[in-house]
Amino acid sequence: VVVLDTRSKREYEGSLNDLSGCKECDRMGHIPGAVWVEYTELMDGQYKMKPRQAIQERMTKAGVTPGKLVIPY
């Protein structure tokens, strides 16, 4: 199983507390053990998805490989 966090770096790190709208939350940031691939890394500069090969390479680098259950958030 891979828990995949696709949010911004600041959200992943938990440094966006003041803008998150969840001041009551006990903890900000990523789920422990989650891997981070910001969604913008998978897009070209014109709001389109990169080619499949480029996305597969980035996912493999992050440990998101065929056969694993992926839980994105």
Side-chain angles (χ1 to χ4, degrees):
V1 174
V2 177
V3 178
L4 176 64
D5 190 332
T6 62
R7 301 172 303 152
S8 73
K9 184 175 184 177
R10 290 183 64 207
E11 289 172 302
Y12 177 80
E13 293 175 339
S15 62
L16 196 62
N17 296 356
D18 57 327
L19 303 176
S20 69
C22 187
K23 295 181 182 187
E24 304 83 26
C25 295
D26 291 335
R27 182 181 183 285
M28 303 308 257
H30 65 280
I31 294 171
V35 298
W36 177 63
V37 177
E38 188 170 344
Y39 73 96
T40 57
E41 290 184 57
L42 308 178
M43 300 173 73
D44 66 11
Q46 301 193 4
Y47 301 104
K48 294 180 183 177
M49 298 300 289
K50 287 183 177 178
R52 181 180 180 157
Q53 173 102 17
I55 292 173
Q56 284 180 322
E57 288 173 6
R58 179 60 185 104
M59 290 291 110
T60 298
K61 184 177 176 183
V64 180
T65 56
K68 290 188 178 178
L69 173 64
V70 180
I71 304 171
Y73 74 101

